[in-house]
C-alpha cells in the first residue's frame, strides 16, 4: 500500500490530501501542532449558529467578536478569531525565531488550519503572465484551480477582472453589497473608459465563503459565527470524519530526510518533548513558507542565508465626497467587497492590487480619541459616512525581501534558530513614508481616477506594513525550469536535489509572488504537485 505523510494542516496541506485521497489505496498520515479554539468560545459559536442574527445575545456576540490587537504601533493590527489569538499562539513553533527591525514575528502558525483561520478569504487565480519563468504555465494550473474551487465555497461575479483573472468554476453571487460599494461600481460603469485609461480596473470581490447561507451580521472580520468563511480546518474535519486520514495533533516536525527509497520525518511531541519517527513512501511539507524554510534549512544543515520574496502590504484609507447613510446602523457582510487592480502593462504581469472593505468596528476603534468624544459626533458621523479602507499589495519584484539566517543546532532533534530581516527598501516616499516606487506610481493613478470613482486616497494616513506582515511570502526554494544541483531550487514537484521523495508544497516553492490573491494558487499548486507525484512509480 503506498503511503504519504503530510506535515501541516493549512491550505497547502489540505489541497495535497484532497489529491492523494483520490487514490483509495493511499495511506495518508497528517500531523501538526493542532492548536484549536478554546471550548468556551466553541460553545458560544455553536449557540449563535443555531439562532437568527436578531436573536443573538449581546454578551455572546461580545465574547466572540474581539477586534484586532495592535502588536506594533506602526503596523496593521493582528487579527483575532472568535476573540482568540490561537492562530498566532506559540506552542514551540516560534521558539528560536528572532526578528531584526520592522519584521512581523508571528510567521509560523501552530493552529489546526493554520493562518486560514484568520485570512481575508480572497480567492482569485494568478494571471497567465505571472507564470512566466515558472516550469509550467496557466493551462497546467487551470484544472487544479477548478478542482480547488469545486472543493471550497466560492462566491463572485462576472466583471472586467475576467480579462486577466478568469472566473473559473461556478461561483455563487455575493450577498447584497454596501451602499459605498454600489456607488463605486456604478461610478466605474459610468466612467469605465476614463478609469481604464489610468490602468485601473474595478471588480467585485471573489471570496471563499458560503454566500447563500449568509445572514449579514458585521462579524466577518472577527470570525463568522456560522463558520461560512472557508478554513483549511473544514477540509481536515471532513477528511477525518470520513476516516480518510490518520491525523495526529501535538507534534512539531524537526527533521526530514530520506533513507534509500523511504522518506523519514522526526517530530517532537509538544506535551512531553519525546521524539517520534515517521516513515512513508513520500513526505509533503506544508508548514507555511517560513516554517518549511526553517525545517529544510535544519534538515540540510544549511547555515547560509536564504531570501524569501514577499508581496508587501499597505493600508490605504480613501475618502468620498458623496456620503452614504451612517454605516454603523447597517449590518453588512464585512469581507472585501470590491477590488482595484492597477495594471502597468498589457498582460497583467506588473500589477498592484487593493481590496476595499465596508465599515466594521475596527474603523471606529482606529479613530483618534477626540473623534470618539460625544462633542465630535457630528464630525465623526460625516467621516464614517465617507470613509473606506483598502488593503493593498505590491508584487514581490517591487517589494523588500525577507532574509532568513539560520543557526544550525548541534542537536539532531532541534530546529535551527532563525533571524528574519527585511531587505531592499527604496528611497521613494508617499505621504512622508518610505515606500517602493511602484506604490508611488499606484497613488498617482488612483488620484487620476479619483474624480470618476469618488475615491480620494488619504496618503498621509497610509500605513506601510513591516516585513513578513502580508503573509504572502515564499520562494526560498523556488521551482526552476532546470533545477540546479545545489540546495536552492526545486523541480516542478517541489523536490530539492538531495531528495526525490520529499516534496515542498507551500509558498516556499513559488518562483515569484504577485500582488494578486495568494491562497488559491498555493492550494492549486499543492494539488498539482501531489497529483503528479502519485503518477510516479514506486
Amino acid at each position: 500500500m503506498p503511503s504519504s505523510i503530510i506535515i501541516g494542516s493549512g491550505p497547502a496541506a489540505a489541497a495535497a490530501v484532497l489529491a492523494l485521497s483520490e487514490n483509495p489505496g493511499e495511506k495518508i498520515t497528517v500531523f501538526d501542532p493542532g492548536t484549536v479554539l478554546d471550548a468556551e468560545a466553541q460553545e458560544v459559536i455553536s449557540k449563535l449558529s443555531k439562532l437568527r442574527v436578531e436573536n443573538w445575545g449581546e454578551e455572546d456576540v461580545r465574547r466572540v467578536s474581539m477586534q484586532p490587537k495592535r502588536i506594533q504601533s506602526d503596523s496593521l493590527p493582528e487579527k483575532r478569531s472568535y476573540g482568540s489569538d490561537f492562530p498566532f499562539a506559540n506552542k514551540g513553533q516560534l521558539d528560536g525565531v528572532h526578528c531584526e527591525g520592522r519584521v512581523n514575528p508571528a510567521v509560523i502558525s501552530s493552529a489546526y488550519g493554520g493562518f486560514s483561520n484568520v485570512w481575508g478569504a480572497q480567492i482569485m487565480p494568478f494571471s497567465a503572465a505571472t507564470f512566466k519563468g515558472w516550469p509550467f504555465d496557466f493551462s497546467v494550473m487551470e484544472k487544479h484551480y477548478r478542482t480547488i474551487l469545486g472543493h471550497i465555497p466560492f462566491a463572485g461575479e462576472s466583471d472586467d477582472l475576467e480579462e486577466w483573472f478568469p472566473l473559473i468554476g461556478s461561483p455563487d453571487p455575493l450577498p447584497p453589497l454596501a451602499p459605498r460599494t454600489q456607488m463605486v461600481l456604478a461610478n466605474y460603469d459610468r466612467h469605465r473608459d476614463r478609469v481604464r485609461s489610468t490602468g485601473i480596473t474595478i471588480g467585485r470581490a471573489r471570496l471563499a465563503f458560503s454566500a447563500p447561507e449568509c445572514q449579514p451580521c458585521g462579524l466577518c472580520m472577527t470570525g463568522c459565527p456560522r463558520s461560512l468563511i472557508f478554513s483549511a480546518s473544514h477540509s481536515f474535519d471532513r477528511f477525518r470524519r470520513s476516516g480518510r486520514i490518520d491525523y495526529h495533533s501535538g507534534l512539531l516536525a524537526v527533521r526530514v530526510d530520506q533513507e534509500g527509497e523511504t522518506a523519514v520525518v522526526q517530530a517532537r511531541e509538544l506535551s512531553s518533548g519525546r521524539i517520534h519517527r515517521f516513515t512513508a513512501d513520500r513526505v509533503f511539507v506544508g508548514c507555511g513558507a517560513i516554517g518549511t524554510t526553517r525545517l529544510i534549512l535544519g534538515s540540510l544543515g544549511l547555515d547560509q542565508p536564504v531570501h524569501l520574496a514577499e508581496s508587501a502590504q499597505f493600508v490605504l484609507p480613501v475618502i468620498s465626497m458623496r456620503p452614504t447613510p451612517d454605516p454603523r446602523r447597517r449590518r453588512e457582510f464585512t469581507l472585501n467587497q470590491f477590488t482595484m487592480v492597477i495594471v502597468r502593462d498589457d498582460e497583467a504581469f506588473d500589477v498592484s492590487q487593493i481590496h476595499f472593505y465596508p465599515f466594521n468596528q475596527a474603523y471606529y476603534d482606529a479613530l483618534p480619541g477626540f473623534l470618539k468624544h460625544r462633542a465630535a459626533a457630528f464630525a465623526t458621523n460625516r467621516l464614517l459616512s465617507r470613509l473606506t479602507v483598502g488593503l493593498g499589495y505590491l508584487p514581490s519584484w517591487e517589494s523588500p525581501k525577507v532574509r532568513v539566517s539560520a543557526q544550525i543546532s548541534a542537536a539532531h532533534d532541534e530546529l535551527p534558530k532563525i533571524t528574519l530581516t527585511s531587505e531592499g527598501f527604496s528611497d521613494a516616499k508617499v505621504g512622508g513614508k518610505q515606500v517602493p516606487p511602484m506604490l508611488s506610481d499606484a497613488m498617482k493613478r488612483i488620484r487620476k481616477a479619483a474624480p470618476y470613482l469618488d475615491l480620494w486616497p488619504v496618503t498621509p494616513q497610509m500605513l506601510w506594513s513591516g516585513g513578513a506582515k502580508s503573509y504572502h511570502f515564499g520562494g526560498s526554494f523556488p521551482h526552476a525550469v532546470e533545477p540546479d544541483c545545489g540546495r536552492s531550487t526545486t523541480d516542478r514537484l517541489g523536490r530539492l536535489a538531495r531528495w526525490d521523495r520529499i516534496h515542498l508544497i507551500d509558498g516556499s516553492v513559488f518562483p515569484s509572488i504577485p500582488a494578486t490573491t495568494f491562497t488559491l494558487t498555493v492550494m492549486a499548486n499543492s494539488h498539482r504537485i501531489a497529483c503528479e507525484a502519485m503518477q510516479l512509480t514506486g
Side-chain angles (χ1 to χ4, degrees):
M1 175 184 292
S3 59
S4 297
I5 293 171
I6 313 290
I7 307 175
S9 63
V17 174
L18 181 65
L20 296 170
S21 63
E22 290 297 309
N23 178 3
E26 188 83 22
K27 183 180 184 298
I28 306 169
T29 301
V30 179
F31 67 80
D32 72 334
T35 307
V36 297
L37 185 66
D38 64 273
E40 180 186 347
Q42 290 188 39
E43 185 176 340
V44 174
I45 294 166
S46 178
K47 176 182 176 182
L48 294 177
S49 70
K50 297 178 175 66
L51 301 172
R52 294 192 60 80
V53 173
E54 57 268 25
N55 296 328
W56 287 354
E58 184 177 331
E59 180 57 28
D60 288 336
V61 171
R62 186 203 62 77
R63 171 66 179 79
V64 297
S65 59
M66 183 182 296
Q67 293 301 311
K69 182 177 180 180
R70 188 167 295 281
I71 304 299
Q72 297 173 326
S73 61
D74 58 351
S75 193
L76 195 68
E78 187 178 271
K79 288 182 73 174
R80 292 294 178 258
S81 179
Y82 303 112
S84 172
D85 68 348
F86 81 93
F88 304 95
N90 181 18
K91 299 299 181 180
Q93 86 285 359
L94 292 175
D95 291 350
V97 177
H98 306 285
C99 296
E100 292 181 347
R102 288 189 68 229
V103 178
N104 171 37
V107 290
I108 308 170
S109 180
S110 67
Y112 178 59
F115 288 126
S116 68
N117 289 285
V118 286
W119 72 313
Q122 290 93 356
I123 202 89
M124 194 163 72
F126 288 175
S127 68
T130 298
F131 292 98
K132 292 190 301 185
W134 292 45
F136 45 85
D137 59 20
F138 183 90
S139 65
V140 172
M141 288 290 289
E142 185 173 6
K143 65 180 180 180
H144 301 286
Y145 279 135
R146 192 175 302 279
T147 298
I148 297 302
L149 290 171
H151 172 72
I152 66 177
F154 179 30
E157 299 177 34
S158 177
D159 54 34
D160 282 1
L161 293 177
E162 288 185 82
E163 180 177 343
W164 299 295
F165 309 101
L167 192 68
I168 302 167
S170 302
D172 294 311
L174 293 164
L177 302 172
R180 175 63 58 206
T181 301
Q182 295 180 41
M183 286 184 181
V184 171
L185 293 175
N187 290 340
Y188 175 74
D189 287 343
R190 191 178 304 116
H191 303 292
R192 176 181 276 102
D193 290 344
R194 289 189 175 98
V195 175
R196 292 291 297 267
S197 72
T198 69
I200 289 175
T201 301
I202 300 285
R204 292 168 178 79
R206 300 185 197 172
L207 301 168
F209 93 118
S210 300
E213 302 171 60
C214 178
Q215 295 181 26
C217 65
L219 301 184
C220 303
M221 301 301 288
T222 54
C224 173
R226 299 184 186 280
S227 299
L228 302 182
I229 300 170
F230 173 75
S231 163
S233 64
H234 301 164
S235 296
F236 279 102
D237 286 345
R238 292 198 294 271
F239 296 139
R240 293 169 68 183
R241 283 195 299 267
S242 70
R244 193 62 193 85
I245 64 174
D246 183 17
Y247 172 74
H248 304 268
S249 65
L251 294 172
L252 177 67
V254 295
R255 284 290 189 275
V256 295
D257 205 349
Q258 185 171 324
E259 298 174 357
E261 299 299 303
T262 301
V264 180
V265 182
Q266 292 186 62
R268 177 180 296 107
E269 185 176 339
L270 295 175
S271 61
S272 67
R274 188 161 61 94
I275 296 296
H276 295 255
R277 188 175 189 270
F278 295 85
T279 61
D281 294 321
R282 297 190 181 276
V283 168
F284 297 86
V285 185
C287 307
I290 291 180
T292 291
T293 299
R294 185 188 192 189
L295 176 61
I296 296 304
L297 289 176
S299 299
L300 292 173
L302 185 63
D303 58 3
Q304 295 177 349
V306 297
H307 288 82
L308 274 76
E310 179 178 17
S311 171
Q313 181 188 77
F314 60 93
V315 182
L316 179 69
V318 295
I319 290 289
S320 299
M321 298 299 104
R322 183 180 176 188
T324 62
D326 189 338
R328 292 170 293 181
R329 300 182 184 277
R330 293 177 56 89
R331 284 177 174 163
E332 312 282 0
F333 86 94
T334 53
L335 294 170
N336 162 226
Q337 289 198 358
F338 70 93
T339 294
M340 175 185 290
V341 173
I342 306 169
V343 182
R344 302 203 301 180
D345 55 28
D346 58 3
E347 56 181 354
F349 174 77
D350 211 19
V351 171
S352 55
Q353 180 169 282
I354 307 176
H355 306 291
F356 287 94
Y357 292 78
F359 174 84
N360 65 73
Q361 183 62 34
Y363 277 31
Y364 182 82
D365 292 346
L367 293 176
F370 73 89
L371 284 175
K372 300 176 186 178
H373 195 278
R374 184 179 301 175
F378 178 74
T380 301
N381 293 345
R382 287 175 65 85
L383 174 61
L384 293 179
S385 67
R386 291 168 168 82
L387 178 65
T388 307
V389 176
L391 186 59
Y393 299 87
L394 302 181
S396 60
W397 50 93
E398 294 283 350
S399 303
K401 293 183 180 296
V402 177
R403 185 182 68 192
V404 181
S405 303
Q407 181 181 339
I408 305 301
S409 172
H412 196 67
D413 59 354
E414 293 285 343
L415 287 166
K417 295 179 180 179
I418 59 171
T419 300
L420 308 179
T421 311
S422 182
E423 291 188 342
F425 219 73
S426 78
D427 294 328
K429 292 187 177 183
V430 172
K433 297 179 175 65
Q434 200 175 38
V435 297
M438 187 177 189
L439 186 52
S440 301
D441 178 73
M443 294 304 109
K444 291 176 183 177
R445 294 171 185 266
I446 293 171
R447 283 192 287 269
K448 286 182 181 179
Y452 309 116
L453 297 172
D454 193 20
L455 291 176
W456 298 86
V458 187
T459 51
Q461 296 301 314
M462 186 184 70
L463 181 66
W464 174 252
S465 295
K469 183 61 176 176
S470 74
Y471 293 96
H472 296 186
F473 44 64
S476 45
F477 301 104
H479 292 311
V481 175
E482 296 183 4
D484 60 37
C485 60
R487 297 166 170 171
S488 60
T489 60
T490 57
D491 67 5
R492 62 181 286 146
L493 295 183
R495 299 178 299 183
L496 292 151
R498 177 165 165 177
W499 304 306
D500 65 357
R501 292 178 174 268
I502 296 173
H503 306 261
L504 314 189
I505 59 173
D506 50 34
S508 62
V509 295
F510 279 17
S512 58
I513 314 293
T516 45
T517 60
F518 183 69
T519 302
L520 177 60
T521 302
V522 168
M523 296 185 74
N525 192 49
S526 174
H527 188 269
R528 179 195 62 77
I529 290 171
C531 284
E532 293 183 12
M534 283 196 298
Q535 296 171 9
L536 301 175
T537 58

